[in-house]
Amino acid sequence: MAAATAETPTDRMPILAAVCLAAVVLPLGFAGGAVATPAIGADLGGSPTAMGWITNAFMLTFGSSLMAAGALADQFGRKRLFMTGIAAFAALSLALSLAPTILVVDILRAGQGFAAAAALAGGTSALAQEFEGYARTRAFSLLGATFGVGLAFGPLLAGFLIASLGWRAIFLSGTIIGAIALLLAGKRMRESRDPHAVGLDWPGALAFTAMLTLFTYGVIEAPEVGWSHPIVAASLLGAAATLAVFIAVETRSARPMLDLTLFRYPLFIGVQVLPVATCYCYVVLLVLLPLRFIGVGGLSEIDAGLLLVALSAPMLVVPLIASQLVRWFSAGALSGAGLLLAAVGLFWLAHVDPAASGMAVILPMLLIGAGTGVPWGLMDGLSISVVPKERAGMATGIFSTTRVAGEGVALAIVNAILASLAEARLSTFVPQGGAEIRAAAQRLAMGDVHGAAAILPALPAAEIHNSYAVAFQHLSIVLVGITVVSALIVFALLRGDRASSPRAKSPDDTGFDSIKTGSAMS
């Protein structure tokens, strides 16, 4: 049975601090890894695909295992899973700091993803048990803000560590922060379980993981071997088949990993749209822009990290402001407006020269970060309100899976689109380029203009730079379209209609309705 909540706010603060430290170190590993990719490639070598897996391997395993981790947290204990996950993350970070090859880095990053899923699912579902009402809303808002801290200062810290100690120090920092979180949680966090948990839905978990793996692998390999290659076609068809299997398994399961009946409710669907939208207007930029600043703009890692702070710094303030604005405005209206603001910033950034720096880049990035920060500060609290408290593991698991799996899929799709756009542009200059054009386009998608120039020595450097600029501009317009459509969906579905909620609420219930109207805060 679930343990009683801690008796005083002082008792709960170390618990919140431990989970927030995990919330810092996870995006730190993600954003820091993106900044470190060029340095890792320069040190250990590897193809663009191998370097891409530094980020994609982590995101794939992280996203594919979150729902399973939520179910395990409900069954075996939220504290136990959190402690196991953060300990494994710290240990794998230490191993990464000693990795001898790019293959070992990729494998260890995949292991980190599983550990991160356990830590996040266990930690967030534990928070849901420790806090009630408005205190829970504030705790989850603070959790969202600490994710922003990791995203804001991850690139800067990574650049500083690379410049002073080398890329291996980035992963060593994860070990240190993880150890501190372990000490805090070990003393104060109480164990809790779902008394009705009956075990992990293994068929569903395996089908979901297989679907994501096949889809991501196919999309990542396509720019290198071509979309018509048998391996790519087989991977994408296999993903479609395993998705059908997953839906069939979950529909027939008495205790599914993902309760598909929740998708009958507009509120639930609207909440899931928020993390998907932020993937395409914000998260993908955390990977694309450092590569652009370093490879195209010629900045050092620390200068790239400093510049990227403009994108992430609003996450330190805007989510907290958004959590207060729900006193007067609905969460849906605020989130939709924020996404439209981010779309304006994306459109602005699309028309900035890739080699530019300073205010020309800072201003649109600030706009994107501020716009994204609005739904970022609200969606964690919204996600926990759509199911009964006892199913907190499933609630956080579903939402976190949508967020992280969506990030992994978005990164794979966006990289593939950028490479395809670059290939199309380069083909206008070298129509018979074939494999060379494809290889150069992959290098451009990684921001490696020098590598692309080495593959196509006859093509003027200005044309290679222009090919990247055009490809990035067209990609940005695609991202603008996705963000605007997402905003319209959010406006339509997150209206806070009481009848749309998947469970009835009593007048003093502090679920979505109280978050929307601010009644719990007034």
Side-chain angles (χ1 to χ4, degrees):
M1 295 181 63
T5 57
E7 294 180 358
T8 68
T10 302
D11 292 331
R12 294 194 294 265
M13 286 306 102
I15 302 169
L16 180 58
V19 179
C20 285
L21 277 175
V24 169
V25 75
L26 299 185
L28 179 63
F30 165 68
V35 174
T37 294
I40 296 173
D43 184 23
L44 302 180
S47 66
T49 300
M51 288 190 289
W53 279 110
I54 294 173
T55 299
N56 286 311
F58 176 81
M59 300 305 296
L60 175 60
T61 54
F62 192 4
S64 65
S65 58
L66 269 170
M67 277 196 292
L72 290 173
D74 284 344
Q75 183 178 11
F76 295 109
R78 284 110 184 189
K79 177 181 179 179
R80 178 181 297 179
L81 198 71
F82 175 77
M83 297 285 286
T84 300
I86 199 67
F89 188 91
L92 288 165
S93 296
L94 179 61
L96 274 162
S97 70
L98 304 171
T101 67
I102 194 75
L103 177 61
V104 173
V105 170
D106 289 344
I107 293 172
L108 290 174
R109 287 285 281 172
Q112 265 195 324
F114 288 120
L120 185 61
T124 52
S125 55
L127 277 188
Q129 307 302 312
E130 294 289 347
F131 292 88
E132 298 283 355
Y134 179 46
R136 186 193 297 178
T137 302
R138 289 201 305 173
F140 275 89
S141 294
L142 182 59
L143 182 65
T146 53
F147 268 103
V149 171
L151 292 173
F153 293 104
L156 179 58
L157 177 60
F160 174 78
L161 290 175
I162 292 170
S164 56
L165 301 173
W167 64 266
R168 298 178 187 275
I170 295 173
F171 298 109
L172 192 59
S173 67
T175 301
I176 297 171
I177 297 174
I180 296 172
L182 269 176
L183 292 174
L184 289 172
K187 289 184 177 181
R188 294 288 187 178
M189 185 177 286
R190 301 168 185 246
E191 189 58 279
S192 62
R193 296 176 177 84
D194 179 359
H196 305 294
V198 294
L200 179 61
D201 173 19
W202 283 107
L206 293 174
F208 185 77
T209 301
M211 181 268 294
L212 271 184
T213 301
L214 288 169
F215 180 81
T216 304
Y217 179 80
V219 173
I220 289 174
E221 290 294 318
E224 182 172 358
V225 300
W227 289 96
S228 60
H229 194 280
I231 291 179
V232 174
S235 296
L236 297 180
L237 288 173
T242 49
L243 175 60
V245 170
F246 174 72
I247 293 173
V249 167
E250 298 305 281
T251 302
R252 291 169 174 77
S253 176
R255 181 79 167 183
M257 182 176 69
L258 173 60
D259 186 356
L260 296 176
T261 62
L262 291 173
F263 286 93
R264 298 174 182 173
Y265 302 101
L267 172 61
F268 181 81
I269 297 172
V271 169
Q272 309 313 309
V273 169
L274 292 175
V276 173
T278 59
C279 288
Y280 289 94
C281 68
Y282 180 76
V283 175
V284 296
L285 298 180
L286 295 172
V287 175
L288 294 180
L289 291 182
L291 299 177
R292 165 175 160 166
F293 295 152
I294 296 169
V296 182
L299 300 180
S300 67
E301 286 87 357
I302 191 167
D303 287 337
L306 281 169
L307 195 56
L308 204 64
V309 168
L311 180 68
S312 299
M315 289 295 175
L316 302 177
V317 179
V318 176
L320 296 177
I321 295 175
S323 69
Q324 297 301 315
L325 288 177
V326 291
R327 294 172 182 263
W328 303 282
F329 306 98
S330 77
L334 287 169
S335 298
L339 291 176
L340 291 179
L341 186 64
V344 173
L346 278 169
F347 186 79
W348 186 354
L349 184 64
H351 294 83
V352 175
D353 190 306
S357 58
M359 297 306 293
V361 181
I362 289 173
L363 292 177
M365 287 198 299
L366 283 172
L367 202 60
I368 295 168
T372 309
V374 178
W376 198 281
L378 299 174
M379 58 189 184
D380 286 277
L382 291 175
S383 70
I384 202 66
S385 69
V386 298
V387 297
K389 176 182 173 181
E390 291 75 16
R391 300 304 306 279
M394 172 178 278
T396 56
I398 292 172
F399 174 77
S400 299
T401 296
T402 303
R403 169 189 273 172
V404 181
E407 290 170 358
V409 169
L411 282 172
I413 291 174
V414 166
N415 280 325
I417 292 174
L418 184 57
S420 297
L421 291 170
E423 182 179 353
R425 178 69 180 182
L426 290 173
S427 296
T428 63
F429 302 111
V430 189
Q432 307 301 321
E436 288 184 346
I437 289 293
R438 188 176 296 127
Q442 274 195 287
R443 289 290 175 182
L444 279 185
M446 296 293 294
D448 185 5
V449 293
H450 296 296
I455 295 172
L456 301 173
L459 195 63
E463 296 296 352
I464 291 178
H465 176 90
N466 189 52
S467 295
Y468 179 88
V470 171
F472 197 95
Q473 183 181 61
H474 291 169
L475 172 65
S476 299
I477 298 304
V478 172
L479 300 181
V480 168
I482 294 172
T483 306
V484 170
V485 170
S486 298
L488 296 178
I489 295 173
V490 168
F491 280 130
L493 298 183
L494 287 184
R495 293 173 297 179
D497 220 354
R498 184 177 293 270
S500 68
S501 177
R503 60 187 176 102
K505 293 179 172 64
S506 62
D508 57 353
D509 191 356
T510 53
F512 173 75
D513 290 317
S514 63
I515 297 173
K516 177 189 78 68
T517 62
S519 60
M521 307 178 202
S522 300

